[in-house]
Amino acid sequence: MTNTGKAVIRGGESDPDSEFDESVLAAVAFNEDRTDDRTLWLRYVTVRADRRGEGLGPRLCDAVAERALARGYDRVRIAVNNPFAYEALYKAGFGFTGRETGIAELVLERPAETSRSRYRDGLDRFRERDLGDDERAFLDGRRNLPGE
């Protein structure tokens, strides 16, 4: 792994005559933090539209984080801008740091505290925003988490 790169999940065969590689199901780009060479940032996570909801994004991010930590990075971070990505990354072991970027993204990292209260803190940050109906419904469904 260099300081920049990408990782993909493939499925099936690619068509050599196609302009696009249809075998790519999910992809994530990553790079070292410009000011801290012990931190790796995950960027631009995407999952093919017809495969969303299958857990491919979190699985890919988990694999990249595991590899990065095994290769000597102290932490892996990602910034998310919606509650769907937030929850998906939480399931992959990333925890909310309490920080936001300048463009209203919540910063998550591994290793991190992944307590229920920390998870809720991030959800509450999204609740303060002007959201679409689907995002609002998603957050409303997480008001009373099991065990609380």
Side-chain angles (χ1 to χ4, degrees), residues 6 107 131:
K6 65 183 173 192
V107 177
L131 302 172

Side-chain angles (χ1 to χ4, degrees), residues 41 77-79 95-101 105-109:
W41 280 91
R77 291 186 176 140
I78 186 167
F96 180 43
T97 63
R99 294 187 318 241
E100 294 185 39
T101 67
E105 295 173 318
L106 303 189
V107 177
L108 290 86
E109 72 179 13

Side-chain angles (χ1 to χ4, degrees), residues 1 7 57-69 92 94 110:
M1 209 174 347
R59 192 172 89 204
L60 181 58
C61 291
D62 175 53
V64 171
E66 286 294 319
R67 180 171 274 180
L69 294 169
F94 288 80
R110 277 182 61 179

Side-chain angles (χ1 to χ4, degrees), residues 114-127:
T114 56
S115 69
R116 193 175 305 250
S117 64
R118 182 62 65 129
Y119 171 73
R120 252 190 198 295
D121 290 345
L123 291 179
D124 289 342
R125 297 269 183 109
F126 283 113
R127 286 187 177 98

